[in-house]
Amino acid sequence: MTYIAKPKVHHPSLKKNEIGLTRRDYEGAITTLCAGCGHDSITAAIIQAFWEMSIPPHKVAKMSGIGCSSKTPAYFLREAHGFNSVHGRMPAVATGANAANGDLIMIGVSGDGDSLSIGLGQLCHAIRRNVNMLYMLENNGVYGLTKGQFSASADPGSTAKKGEANTMQAIDSALLALTLGATFVARSFSGDKAQLVPIIQAGLAHRGFAFIDIISPCVTFNDHEGSTKSYAHTREHKVEVVQADFVPPADEITADYQAGTVKNVMLHDGSWVKFRKVADDYDPTNRDNAYAHIRDHQRKGEVVTGLLYLSGDSKDVHDQNDTVPGPLYNLPHDQLCPGNDALQKLQQQFR
Amino acid sequence: MTSRVNDFAFKIATANGTGSASANGLIMQAIFRMGVPVTGKNVFPSNIQGLPTWYEIRVNKHGYTARTPHFDLMLALNAATYAKDVAEVRSGGYLMFDSSWPLDEKLKRPDVTYLGVPLAEMCNATFKGVRERILMKNIAYAGVLAALIGMDTEVIAALTKEKYAAKKALLDSNEKAIALGYDYARANFPCPLPIHLEKMDATTDSILIDGNTAAALGAVYAGATVGAWYPITPATSVMEAFKGFCMKYRRDPDTKKKKFAILQAEDELAALGMVIGASWAGARAFTPTSGPGISLMNEFIGLAYYAEIPAVIVDVQRTGPSTGMPTRTQQGDLMLCAHASHGDTRHICLYPADPREAFEMAAKAFDLAERFQTPVFLVSDLDIGMNDWMVPKLAWDDSYRPDRGKVLSADDLEKARSFYRYLDVDGDGIPQRSLPGVHPKGAYFTRGSGHNKYGAYTEDGDEYQEVLDRIARKVQGATKAVPPPVMKPTPGATMGLVTVGGCHAACVEAMDLLAAEGIKVNYMRVRGFPFGDEVRQFLEQHEVNFIVEQNRDAQLRSLLMLETGVHVEKLESVRYYAGFPMSAHHVISGVKAKLEKAA
């Protein structure tokens, strides 16, 4: 929403972060989603993640497409610029904004309709490009705003609210991201804030496209017995493969786990992701292994969660393009315009 | 044929992919350097190799640059099109063919002089490799032509040396091939022919350039830093040229790092999305495309219009509908660009008539897009974009500073009591905007859904309408900012001739020819949309206005009617839309047909 200079009446004892802001400073407008919507829990996790990382809200660009999930950027970080673009096309807008100003901290929020049907192509190409952004897919397997149609992530055999069974295969966005070479792939559950917050933080610190698929139940259209994206089903079937802790650059890495069970991966800004293995055979830095692991569990009807894959070698669009450091948008004109002398000289070749 | 000095046209028929472009370029440039006005037009297939391609060169001492369909000399070097090429020669003209193979006598015309040159035989005897033999055959025909029309051999020698300065072997081959053709022609034909060149000094202050290169230069000079695109004929070379210029001018001298970003998108939808994202974040960004790309971009065009985000779209028009003829020219996107996307929209359009205007208007497009916070279309076409035009040298005013419009700085925002994105603070319909990352007070939510003047989501009808009305007012305000029409009054004229874009050259020539027959017209070429009041006044002051354009459905005429309210009976349509650039002949015959009908 537009900035309104309303008085911030904070309780004096509210805890402040390193830049003196309270958690409330990272909130946005009051949600208009249904009570109990998984997306609101994700919003809360986003707020906590940003607050804990002491990110100045106005340095953030909140991008989204169309749909319930795409409304959520209005509900966090009111001092950040938001962009509710057109259906499925947020990745392109984010790519352009990132090209103009690579210093913006970019978070994209999308849904399974937005990302896996109308916007599937754009999602794929944003992954391919490794655009430096955190991309959160709030996945409920259903079209909420148009009242209950199956989305492309609805599992075969799962049913709609009125009982109709889905006959088509689901697009698994985490497998898709792994296949396309994503440098950061995670899956989580809106009801598991403890898991989600450090993943969001690691995704923000990652230089490149950080993809998080989050099962986020739709309480109105897809939270019933036949759904595989309901609260009950997800709680029963989710399997955490690693526990990922985000360690900011300034914090010391402490060896509070036994050697051999912890893997530390450093991110470009000097922060760390500390992986503690839950599944013995899981290596979050091995793409093939991650893929096979997700598929194996999928066959058992289980949903693998956690930071599933992290590449230690990630080159984003600016790295690939070899762009000058800092934003392009405010380079002085005299550095951009070659001037009339150069033009006259150049025109010798047109004679 | 009576002697015609510096006033003739010839056509070269070859096959695509055989390397004739460099020979044709050499011929064009040599004539130009002799100081003689010249234009060249590619007629090429949507294909890489093998299909017929033509290059038409018009030499005209008066400086007429429109296409002419009358050829005094045909270089018929493609057997596949021979019959067609023979038929196109003007009576009394000449036809050069490769006499290495027997000529089909049935195709001989008694009114054409045939000039057989054993090009293949000569090149096979002189050059070794197959590729070199094919390539040098082209250079050899340039040599033949040089002798036939009296090109300055010193100019040709200098050009060849410049071009192959770093490639000694190629220089030798080229020089040898030119001499082969030249000497053969001199020995066997009465050189020069009655149609020939004589040195002039009419090109000193001109350059030969195509519109796509010029538009790319305009984008560089305007300070565009982000270019996003999806390859499409005939717009592809805009981005290729932009990239080339950026590599030359836009790299840090020490680190060689780039001060630009070029994003090859997955499709045109994404390309415009990237431009919108980049513009929203504060960069000058653009995308070059053609009609099919504009069709795909429609949803984003509507978003940029309604959310008020600058975007520059260079539309190099080709024939439609659908895939149409991708390598032929048309003005079929005039309506599309003016009103692209669903709902009520109206977009600023600039209509260059030649590469020089493509350069100037490309630069201007960025100022307008930022000042009015809206998409701006540079509506060019294949003829302007991909053909070689002789235009006055480009110039740049070094005092130019980009018009970034009402962008609030961190200081502005710090001092402001409040900021609301869509308030009409100055009464001109143009709101203030802020860029992400600059200041906490600048934050707002950009959306393509209903919003009120404060930027908040709304489904309130009155609030929605208020914003929509302001945007209409804002865009209407651009009538004073777009380039004014070019007007040329003719004493005693009671009729108007109105056109747009690349038809200009044909109209200029047609007016002179019509005047010679006593048919006088006042001339107006519109250069910007929305049209200013002077456009309406021009149309009103004539009982009849001939509206000359290149599309089937008289799109310019429709726009004029819609925008000015001038009665349909005052607007007579003259159209040509077969895919080739318009010639004076098309204008004249169209005007005369209307006059005869009225009489």
Short mmCIF file of all heavy atoms in Angstrom, two decimals, chain A residues 2-3 58-59 81-82 84 89 92-93 96 122 129 321-324 333 335-336 339-340 343-344 347 350-351, chain B residues 29 33 203-204 206 208 221 250 257-260 264 266 274 299 394 396 398 420 434 437 442 444 446 454:
data_model
loop_
_atom_site.label_atom_id
_atom_site.label_comp_id
_atom_site.label_asym_id
_atom_site.label_seq_id
_atom_site.Cartn_x
_atom_site.Cartn_y
_atom_site.Cartn_z
N THR A 2 0.31 2.33 -0.40
CA THR A 2 1.03 3.59 -0.40
C THR A 2 1.49 3.93 1.00
O THR A 2 0.80 3.64 1.97
CB THR A 2 0.13 4.71 -0.93
OG1 THR A 2 -0.24 4.38 -2.25
CG2 THR A 2 0.82 6.04 -0.91
N TYR A 3 2.64 4.53 1.09
CA TYR A 3 3.17 4.90 2.39
C TYR A 3 2.23 5.88 3.09
O TYR A 3 1.82 6.89 2.52
CB TYR A 3 4.54 5.55 2.20
CG TYR A 3 5.14 6.03 3.49
CD1 TYR A 3 5.82 5.15 4.32
CD2 TYR A 3 5.00 7.36 3.88
CE1 TYR A 3 6.35 5.58 5.51
CE2 TYR A 3 5.54 7.79 5.06
CZ TYR A 3 6.22 6.91 5.88
OH TYR A 3 6.75 7.35 7.04
N HIS A 58 13.20 -0.73 2.95
CA HIS A 58 13.07 -0.01 1.67
C HIS A 58 14.10 -0.45 0.63
O HIS A 58 14.01 -0.04 -0.52
CB HIS A 58 13.15 1.50 1.91
CG HIS A 58 14.51 2.01 2.19
ND1 HIS A 58 15.12 1.93 3.40
CD2 HIS A 58 15.40 2.64 1.37
CE1 HIS A 58 16.33 2.48 3.34
NE2 HIS A 58 16.51 2.91 2.12
N LYS A 59 15.03 -1.27 1.04
CA LYS A 59 16.00 -1.80 0.06
C LYS A 59 15.47 -3.05 -0.64
O LYS A 59 16.14 -3.66 -1.47
CB LYS A 59 17.32 -2.16 0.76
CG LYS A 59 18.04 -0.97 1.38
CD LYS A 59 18.68 -0.12 0.31
CE LYS A 59 19.45 1.05 0.90
NZ LYS A 59 19.83 2.03 -0.13
N HIS A 81 9.09 -1.41 -1.85
CA HIS A 81 8.31 -1.28 -3.07
C HIS A 81 7.73 -2.64 -3.45
O HIS A 81 8.44 -3.64 -3.43
CB HIS A 81 9.20 -0.81 -4.23
CG HIS A 81 9.27 0.67 -4.37
ND1 HIS A 81 9.73 1.50 -3.39
CD2 HIS A 81 8.92 1.48 -5.41
CE1 HIS A 81 9.67 2.75 -3.81
NE2 HIS A 81 9.19 2.77 -5.02
N GLY A 82 6.45 -2.65 -3.80
CA GLY A 82 5.82 -3.90 -4.23
C GLY A 82 5.43 -3.82 -5.69
O GLY A 82 5.22 -2.74 -6.23
N ASN A 84 2.83 -5.95 -8.13
CA ASN A 84 1.86 -6.98 -8.45
C ASN A 84 1.71 -6.96 -9.98
O ASN A 84 0.97 -6.14 -10.51
CB ASN A 84 0.55 -6.56 -7.78
CG ASN A 84 -0.33 -7.71 -7.41
OD1 ASN A 84 -1.41 -7.50 -6.92
ND2 ASN A 84 0.09 -8.93 -7.63
N ARG A 89 3.83 -13.63 -14.94
CA ARG A 89 4.95 -12.91 -15.58
C ARG A 89 5.84 -12.19 -14.59
O ARG A 89 6.62 -11.32 -14.97
CB ARG A 89 4.41 -11.89 -16.59
CG ARG A 89 3.22 -12.31 -17.39
CD ARG A 89 3.58 -13.24 -18.54
NE ARG A 89 2.40 -13.53 -19.31
CZ ARG A 89 2.00 -14.74 -19.65
NH1 ARG A 89 2.69 -15.81 -19.29
NH2 ARG A 89 0.90 -14.91 -20.36
N ALA A 92 9.85 -12.19 -15.28
CA ALA A 92 10.42 -11.27 -16.26
C ALA A 92 10.57 -9.88 -15.66
O ALA A 92 11.61 -9.22 -15.83
CB ALA A 92 9.54 -11.20 -17.50
N VAL A 93 9.56 -9.43 -14.93
CA VAL A 93 9.62 -8.10 -14.32
C VAL A 93 10.76 -8.06 -13.30
O VAL A 93 11.54 -7.11 -13.24
CB VAL A 93 8.27 -7.73 -13.68
CG1 VAL A 93 8.33 -6.35 -13.04
CG2 VAL A 93 7.16 -7.75 -14.73
N GLY A 96 14.12 -7.85 -15.03
CA GLY A 96 14.41 -6.50 -15.50
C GLY A 96 14.81 -5.58 -14.36
O GLY A 96 15.77 -4.82 -14.45
N GLN A 122 8.23 -18.66 -17.80
CA GLN A 122 9.02 -17.59 -17.18
C GLN A 122 9.78 -18.09 -15.96
O GLN A 122 10.92 -17.70 -15.72
CB GLN A 122 8.13 -16.41 -16.81
CG GLN A 122 7.54 -15.72 -18.04
CD GLN A 122 7.48 -14.23 -17.91
OE1 GLN A 122 7.46 -13.68 -16.81
NE2 GLN A 122 7.46 -13.54 -19.03
N ARG A 129 18.50 -18.44 -15.88
CA ARG A 129 19.35 -17.24 -15.82
C ARG A 129 20.03 -17.08 -14.48
O ARG A 129 20.98 -16.35 -14.35
CB ARG A 129 18.50 -15.99 -16.06
CG ARG A 129 18.12 -15.79 -17.47
CD ARG A 129 17.56 -14.41 -17.71
NE ARG A 129 17.14 -14.40 -19.09
CZ ARG A 129 15.92 -14.76 -19.48
NH1 ARG A 129 15.00 -15.06 -18.60
NH2 ARG A 129 15.63 -14.79 -20.76
N ASN A 321 27.01 -11.58 -17.02
CA ASN A 321 27.09 -10.47 -17.97
C ASN A 321 28.35 -9.63 -17.77
O ASN A 321 28.71 -8.83 -18.62
CB ASN A 321 25.84 -9.58 -17.79
CG ASN A 321 25.75 -8.49 -18.85
OD1 ASN A 321 25.87 -8.76 -20.03
ND2 ASN A 321 25.57 -7.25 -18.40
N ASP A 322 28.99 -9.84 -16.64
CA ASP A 322 30.19 -9.06 -16.28
C ASP A 322 29.86 -7.56 -16.24
O ASP A 322 30.55 -6.72 -16.84
CB ASP A 322 31.31 -9.34 -17.30
CG ASP A 322 32.67 -9.02 -16.72
OD1 ASP A 322 32.79 -8.97 -15.47
OD2 ASP A 322 33.62 -8.79 -17.49
N THR A 323 28.81 -7.26 -15.51
CA THR A 323 28.35 -5.87 -15.38
C THR A 323 29.21 -5.13 -14.35
O THR A 323 29.72 -5.75 -13.41
CB THR A 323 26.88 -5.86 -14.89
OG1 THR A 323 26.19 -6.92 -15.53
CG2 THR A 323 26.19 -4.57 -15.22
N VAL A 324 29.27 -3.82 -14.50
CA VAL A 324 29.99 -3.01 -13.51
C VAL A 324 29.31 -3.16 -12.14
O VAL A 324 28.11 -3.40 -12.08
CB VAL A 324 30.02 -1.51 -13.88
CG1 VAL A 324 30.94 -1.24 -15.05
CG2 VAL A 324 28.62 -0.98 -14.16
N HIS A 333 24.93 10.23 -16.95
CA HIS A 333 24.71 10.23 -18.39
C HIS A 333 26.01 10.35 -19.18
O HIS A 333 26.15 9.77 -20.26
CB HIS A 333 23.74 11.35 -18.77
CG HIS A 333 23.33 11.30 -20.21
ND1 HIS A 333 22.58 10.27 -20.74
CD2 HIS A 333 23.60 12.12 -21.26
CE1 HIS A 333 22.38 10.47 -22.03
NE2 HIS A 333 22.99 11.59 -22.37
N GLN A 335 28.66 9.02 -18.65
CA GLN A 335 29.32 7.71 -18.78
C GLN A 335 28.59 6.82 -19.78
O GLN A 335 29.09 5.77 -20.17
CB GLN A 335 29.34 7.00 -17.43
CG GLN A 335 30.39 7.52 -16.47
CD GLN A 335 30.49 6.60 -15.26
OE1 GLN A 335 30.27 5.40 -15.34
NE2 GLN A 335 30.82 7.18 -14.13
N LEU A 336 27.40 7.22 -20.12
CA LEU A 336 26.57 6.39 -20.99
C LEU A 336 26.53 6.90 -22.42
O LEU A 336 26.39 6.15 -23.37
CB LEU A 336 25.14 6.31 -20.44
CG LEU A 336 25.00 5.74 -19.03
CD1 LEU A 336 23.55 5.84 -18.56
CD2 LEU A 336 25.46 4.29 -18.99
N GLY A 339 28.77 11.00 -26.84
CA GLY A 339 28.99 12.40 -27.22
C GLY A 339 29.09 12.61 -28.72
O GLY A 339 29.25 11.66 -29.50
N ASN A 340 28.98 13.87 -29.11
CA ASN A 340 28.93 14.19 -30.54
C ASN A 340 30.24 13.90 -31.27
O ASN A 340 30.23 13.46 -32.41
CB ASN A 340 28.53 15.66 -30.73
CG ASN A 340 28.21 15.96 -32.19
OD1 ASN A 340 27.47 15.21 -32.82
ND2 ASN A 340 28.80 17.00 -32.73
N LEU A 343 30.29 10.47 -32.20
CA LEU A 343 29.29 10.21 -33.24
C LEU A 343 29.84 10.60 -34.62
O LEU A 343 29.66 9.88 -35.60
CB LEU A 343 28.00 10.98 -32.93
CG LEU A 343 26.82 10.75 -33.87
CD1 LEU A 343 26.37 9.30 -33.86
CD2 LEU A 343 25.65 11.65 -33.48
N GLN A 344 30.49 11.75 -34.65
CA GLN A 344 31.04 12.20 -35.94
C GLN A 344 32.12 11.23 -36.42
O GLN A 344 32.20 10.89 -37.60
CB GLN A 344 31.60 13.63 -35.82
CG GLN A 344 30.54 14.67 -35.47
CD GLN A 344 29.24 14.52 -36.26
OE1 GLN A 344 29.27 14.37 -37.48
NE2 GLN A 344 28.10 14.52 -35.58
N GLN A 347 30.70 7.99 -37.74
CA GLN A 347 30.01 8.06 -39.02
C GLN A 347 30.95 7.95 -40.23
O GLN A 347 30.49 7.82 -41.36
CB GLN A 347 29.15 9.33 -39.10
CG GLN A 347 27.94 9.22 -38.18
CD GLN A 347 27.07 10.47 -38.23
OE1 GLN A 347 26.14 10.55 -39.01
NE2 GLN A 347 27.39 11.43 -37.39
N PHE A 350 30.14 5.01 -42.07
CA PHE A 350 28.91 4.99 -42.85
C PHE A 350 29.06 5.80 -44.15
O PHE A 350 28.07 6.17 -44.77
CB PHE A 350 27.74 5.55 -42.03
CG PHE A 350 27.48 4.80 -40.76
CD1 PHE A 350 27.30 5.47 -39.55
CD2 PHE A 350 27.43 3.42 -40.76
CE1 PHE A 350 27.07 4.79 -38.38
CE2 PHE A 350 27.20 2.71 -39.59
CZ PHE A 350 27.03 3.40 -38.40
N ARG A 351 30.29 6.07 -44.53
CA ARG A 351 30.49 6.83 -45.76
C ARG A 351 31.21 6.00 -46.82
O ARG A 351 31.88 5.08 -46.54
CB ARG A 351 31.31 8.09 -45.46
CG ARG A 351 30.45 9.16 -44.78
CD ARG A 351 31.09 10.53 -44.81
NE ARG A 351 31.58 10.90 -46.12
CZ ARG A 351 30.84 11.43 -47.10
NH1 ARG A 351 29.58 11.65 -46.93
NH2 ARG A 351 31.39 11.72 -48.26
N GLN B 29 28.25 1.97 -51.98
CA GLN B 29 29.18 2.89 -51.34
C GLN B 29 30.02 3.64 -52.39
O GLN B 29 30.32 4.82 -52.22
CB GLN B 29 30.09 2.11 -50.40
CG GLN B 29 30.16 2.72 -49.03
CD GLN B 29 30.95 1.86 -48.06
OE1 GLN B 29 31.03 0.63 -48.23
NE2 GLN B 29 31.52 2.47 -47.06
N ARG B 33 30.20 7.56 -52.77
CA ARG B 33 31.47 8.31 -52.65
C ARG B 33 31.80 9.12 -53.90
O ARG B 33 32.66 9.98 -53.86
CB ARG B 33 32.61 7.34 -52.33
CG ARG B 33 32.57 6.87 -50.91
CD ARG B 33 33.96 6.56 -50.39
NE ARG B 33 33.89 5.95 -49.07
CZ ARG B 33 34.94 5.38 -48.49
NH1 ARG B 33 36.11 5.34 -49.11
NH2 ARG B 33 34.82 4.86 -47.30
N THR B 203 26.71 14.35 -51.78
CA THR B 203 26.63 13.42 -50.64
C THR B 203 27.61 13.78 -49.52
O THR B 203 27.75 13.03 -48.55
CB THR B 203 26.92 11.97 -51.08
OG1 THR B 203 28.29 11.87 -51.51
CG2 THR B 203 26.01 11.54 -52.21
N THR B 204 28.26 14.92 -49.66
CA THR B 204 29.32 15.29 -48.71
C THR B 204 28.84 15.26 -47.26
O THR B 204 29.56 14.80 -46.37
CB THR B 204 29.84 16.71 -49.03
OG1 THR B 204 30.00 16.78 -50.44
CG2 THR B 204 31.16 16.99 -48.35
N SER B 206 26.31 13.67 -46.02
CA SER B 206 25.38 12.56 -45.79
C SER B 206 26.11 11.29 -45.37
O SER B 206 27.33 11.19 -45.47
CB SER B 206 24.58 12.27 -47.06
OG SER B 206 23.86 13.41 -47.44
N LEU B 208 25.39 6.78 -45.34
CA LEU B 208 24.54 5.66 -45.74
C LEU B 208 24.32 4.82 -44.49
O LEU B 208 25.27 4.30 -43.90
CB LEU B 208 25.25 4.79 -46.78
CG LEU B 208 25.28 5.27 -48.22
CD1 LEU B 208 26.10 4.28 -49.05
CD2 LEU B 208 23.89 5.40 -48.79
N TYR B 221 22.67 6.81 -27.24
CA TYR B 221 22.87 8.22 -26.90
C TYR B 221 21.88 8.71 -25.84
O TYR B 221 22.19 9.61 -25.07
CB TYR B 221 22.85 9.08 -28.18
CG TYR B 221 24.24 9.16 -28.77
CD1 TYR B 221 24.79 8.05 -29.43
CD2 TYR B 221 25.04 10.29 -28.63
CE1 TYR B 221 26.09 8.08 -29.92
CE2 TYR B 221 26.33 10.33 -29.12
CZ TYR B 221 26.85 9.23 -29.76
OH TYR B 221 28.15 9.26 -30.22
N ARG B 250 30.52 1.44 -24.03
CA ARG B 250 29.94 1.32 -22.70
C ARG B 250 30.69 0.35 -21.79
O ARG B 250 30.07 -0.35 -21.00
CB ARG B 250 28.50 0.83 -22.82
CG ARG B 250 27.55 1.87 -23.33
CD ARG B 250 27.11 2.78 -22.20
NE ARG B 250 26.06 3.64 -22.67
CZ ARG B 250 24.81 3.25 -22.79
NH1 ARG B 250 24.44 2.02 -22.45
NH2 ARG B 250 23.90 4.08 -23.24
N LYS B 257 34.38 -3.99 -17.64
CA LYS B 257 33.05 -4.43 -17.23
C LYS B 257 31.99 -3.59 -17.95
O LYS B 257 32.25 -2.45 -18.35
CB LYS B 257 32.89 -4.32 -15.71
CG LYS B 257 33.63 -5.45 -14.98
CD LYS B 257 33.36 -5.42 -13.50
CE LYS B 257 33.98 -6.59 -12.79
NZ LYS B 257 33.33 -7.88 -13.08
N LYS B 258 30.81 -4.17 -18.08
CA LYS B 258 29.79 -3.56 -18.93
C LYS B 258 28.87 -2.61 -18.18
O LYS B 258 28.39 -2.94 -17.09
CB LYS B 258 28.96 -4.66 -19.59
CG LYS B 258 29.77 -5.54 -20.51
CD LYS B 258 28.97 -6.76 -20.92
CE LYS B 258 29.85 -7.72 -21.69
NZ LYS B 258 29.26 -9.07 -21.76
N LYS B 259 28.60 -1.49 -18.81
CA LYS B 259 27.64 -0.53 -18.23
C LYS B 259 26.30 -0.68 -18.96
O LYS B 259 25.67 0.30 -19.33
CB LYS B 259 28.17 0.90 -18.38
CG LYS B 259 29.42 1.15 -17.57
CD LYS B 259 29.99 2.50 -17.83
CE LYS B 259 31.30 2.66 -17.09
NZ LYS B 259 31.96 3.91 -17.42
N PHE B 260 25.93 -1.88 -19.21
CA PHE B 260 24.66 -2.16 -19.88
C PHE B 260 24.32 -3.62 -19.64
O PHE B 260 25.20 -4.41 -19.29
CB PHE B 260 24.75 -1.89 -21.39
CG PHE B 260 25.72 -2.80 -22.10
CD1 PHE B 260 25.27 -3.95 -22.73
CD2 PHE B 260 27.07 -2.51 -22.13
CE1 PHE B 260 26.16 -4.80 -23.38
CE2 PHE B 260 27.98 -3.35 -22.77
CZ PHE B 260 27.52 -4.49 -23.40
N GLN B 264 18.41 -11.51 -23.57
CA GLN B 264 17.66 -12.19 -24.63
C GLN B 264 16.60 -13.03 -23.95
O GLN B 264 16.89 -14.06 -23.33
CB GLN B 264 18.57 -13.06 -25.50
CG GLN B 264 17.78 -13.65 -26.67
CD GLN B 264 18.61 -14.54 -27.57
OE1 GLN B 264 19.77 -14.23 -27.84
NE2 GLN B 264 18.03 -15.64 -28.02
N GLU B 266 12.95 -15.19 -23.28
CA GLU B 266 12.42 -16.44 -23.82
C GLU B 266 11.29 -16.20 -24.82
O GLU B 266 10.93 -17.08 -25.58
CB GLU B 266 11.94 -17.35 -22.69
CG GLU B 266 10.91 -16.74 -21.74
CD GLU B 266 11.57 -16.04 -20.55
OE1 GLU B 266 12.68 -15.50 -20.71
OE2 GLU B 266 10.96 -16.05 -19.47
N MET B 274 10.63 -7.56 -18.84
CA MET B 274 11.95 -7.15 -18.37
C MET B 274 12.14 -5.64 -18.51
O MET B 274 12.69 -4.98 -17.63
CB MET B 274 13.04 -7.89 -19.16
CG MET B 274 13.11 -9.37 -18.83
SD MET B 274 14.18 -10.23 -19.99
CE MET B 274 13.92 -11.93 -19.45
N GLU B 299 -0.61 -7.74 -23.06
CA GLU B 299 -1.01 -7.66 -21.65
C GLU B 299 -0.06 -6.75 -20.86
O GLU B 299 -0.48 -5.98 -20.00
CB GLU B 299 -1.09 -9.04 -21.00
CG GLU B 299 0.21 -9.82 -21.03
CD GLU B 299 0.15 -11.10 -20.17
OE1 GLU B 299 -0.95 -11.51 -19.75
OE2 GLU B 299 1.22 -11.67 -19.92
N LEU B 394 24.22 12.37 -38.84
CA LEU B 394 23.59 12.50 -37.53
C LEU B 394 24.39 13.47 -36.68
O LEU B 394 25.62 13.57 -36.81
CB LEU B 394 23.56 11.13 -36.83
CG LEU B 394 23.03 9.95 -37.64
CD1 LEU B 394 23.08 8.68 -36.80
CD2 LEU B 394 21.60 10.21 -38.12
N TRP B 396 24.58 15.20 -32.53
CA TRP B 396 24.12 15.07 -31.16
C TRP B 396 24.46 16.33 -30.38
O TRP B 396 25.59 16.84 -30.47
CB TRP B 396 24.79 13.86 -30.49
CG TRP B 396 24.22 13.61 -29.12
CD1 TRP B 396 24.82 13.89 -27.93
CD2 TRP B 396 22.95 13.04 -28.81
NE1 TRP B 396 23.99 13.52 -26.90
CE2 TRP B 396 22.84 12.99 -27.41
CE3 TRP B 396 21.89 12.57 -29.58
CZ2 TRP B 396 21.71 12.50 -26.76
CZ3 TRP B 396 20.77 12.07 -28.95
CH2 TRP B 396 20.69 12.04 -27.55
N ASP B 398 25.51 17.93 -27.26
CA ASP B 398 26.16 17.47 -26.03
C ASP B 398 25.57 18.10 -24.76
O ASP B 398 25.89 17.66 -23.66
CB ASP B 398 27.67 17.73 -26.09
CG ASP B 398 28.36 16.70 -26.97
OD1 ASP B 398 27.86 15.56 -27.05
OD2 ASP B 398 29.39 17.03 -27.59
N TYR B 420 2.20 10.10 -2.45
CA TYR B 420 1.18 9.20 -2.98
C TYR B 420 1.41 9.06 -4.47
O TYR B 420 1.48 10.05 -5.20
CB TYR B 420 -0.22 9.74 -2.70
CG TYR B 420 -0.53 9.82 -1.23
CD1 TYR B 420 -0.59 11.05 -0.59
CD2 TYR B 420 -0.73 8.65 -0.49
CE1 TYR B 420 -0.85 11.12 0.78
CE2 TYR B 420 -0.99 8.72 0.87
CZ TYR B 420 -1.05 9.96 1.50
OH TYR B 420 -1.30 10.02 2.83
N SER B 434 8.52 7.25 -7.50
CA SER B 434 9.71 7.00 -6.69
C SER B 434 10.30 5.68 -7.16
O SER B 434 9.60 4.86 -7.75
CB SER B 434 9.33 6.90 -5.22
OG SER B 434 8.45 5.81 -5.03
N GLY B 437 14.20 1.17 -3.42
CA GLY B 437 15.54 1.18 -2.82
C GLY B 437 16.05 2.55 -2.44
O GLY B 437 17.14 2.68 -1.88
N GLY B 442 9.22 6.46 -0.07
CA GLY B 442 8.85 6.30 -1.48
C GLY B 442 8.09 5.03 -1.76
O GLY B 442 7.63 4.81 -2.88
N TYR B 444 5.56 2.20 -2.43
CA TYR B 444 4.17 2.09 -2.86
C TYR B 444 4.01 0.74 -3.53
O TYR B 444 4.99 0.04 -3.79
CB TYR B 444 3.76 3.23 -3.79
CG TYR B 444 4.39 3.18 -5.16
CD1 TYR B 444 3.69 2.62 -6.24
CD2 TYR B 444 5.67 3.66 -5.38
CE1 TYR B 444 4.27 2.55 -7.50
CE2 TYR B 444 6.25 3.59 -6.63
CZ TYR B 444 5.56 3.03 -7.69
OH TYR B 444 6.13 2.96 -8.92
N THR B 446 2.87 -1.22 -6.78
CA THR B 446 2.53 -1.12 -8.20
C THR B 446 1.61 -2.27 -8.56
O THR B 446 1.91 -3.42 -8.25
CB THR B 446 3.81 -1.23 -9.04
OG1 THR B 446 4.73 -0.22 -8.61
CG2 THR B 446 3.51 -1.05 -10.51
N TYR B 454 -4.29 7.41 -4.53
CA TYR B 454 -3.24 7.25 -3.53
C TYR B 454 -2.41 5.99 -3.78
O TYR B 454 -1.43 5.74 -3.11
CB TYR B 454 -3.86 7.18 -2.13
CG TYR B 454 -4.69 8.41 -1.81
CD1 TYR B 454 -6.07 8.34 -1.77
CD2 TYR B 454 -4.06 9.64 -1.59
CE1 TYR B 454 -6.83 9.47 -1.51
CE2 TYR B 454 -4.81 10.78 -1.34
CZ TYR B 454 -6.20 10.69 -1.30
OH TYR B 454 -6.93 11.81 -1.05
#
